[in-house]
Amino acid sequence: MMNPIKKMLMLITALSSLFIISGCSSLDIEPWVKPYERQNLADPIMRFGRHPIANMHVAHVLEARESARGAEGTGGGGCGCN
């Protein structure tokens, strides 16, 4: 027969695990960003680099240093493992 304290601890552990796991799932199907808020994300100030010519130069330097095309995270690469 199981000790009542041990049984209570197992029950508490099971219930807390259930609450933690259920907290990770989202039942909301609607997107986090509303359609009328997307205009703020499309603002040019939200880009990582604001100067397209400087960005192209940095990309060229990275490609030359990495000795492969696609060093910017695009498909393909020098090793042929895409």
Side-chain angles (χ1 to χ4, degrees), residues 6-27:
K6 198 173 199 180
K7 195 173 190 180
M8 182 64 81
L9 284 175
M10 286 179 59
L11 179 66
I12 290 172
T13 304
L15 287 176
S16 62
S17 298
L18 180 69
F19 287 132
I20 290 172
I21 291 172
S22 67
C24 292
S25 67
S26 175
L27 297 177

Side-chain angles (χ1 to χ4, degrees), residues 51-64 72:
H51 305 288
I53 295 175
N55 292 341
M56 287 172 43
H57 174 70
V58 169
H60 173 72
V61 169
L62 284 175
E63 287 174 356
E72 290 290 306

Side-chain angles (χ1 to χ4, degrees), residues 21-49:
I21 291 172
S22 67
C24 292
S25 67
S26 175
L27 297 177
D28 294 334
I29 297 179
E30 62 186 67
W32 290 357
V33 179
K34 306 284 188 235
Y36 56 86
E37 295 173 333
R38 292 183 184 164
Q39 66 186 1
N40 299 330
L41 295 176
D43 194 3
I45 202 151
M46 295 296 286
R47 290 190 213 146
F48 287 117

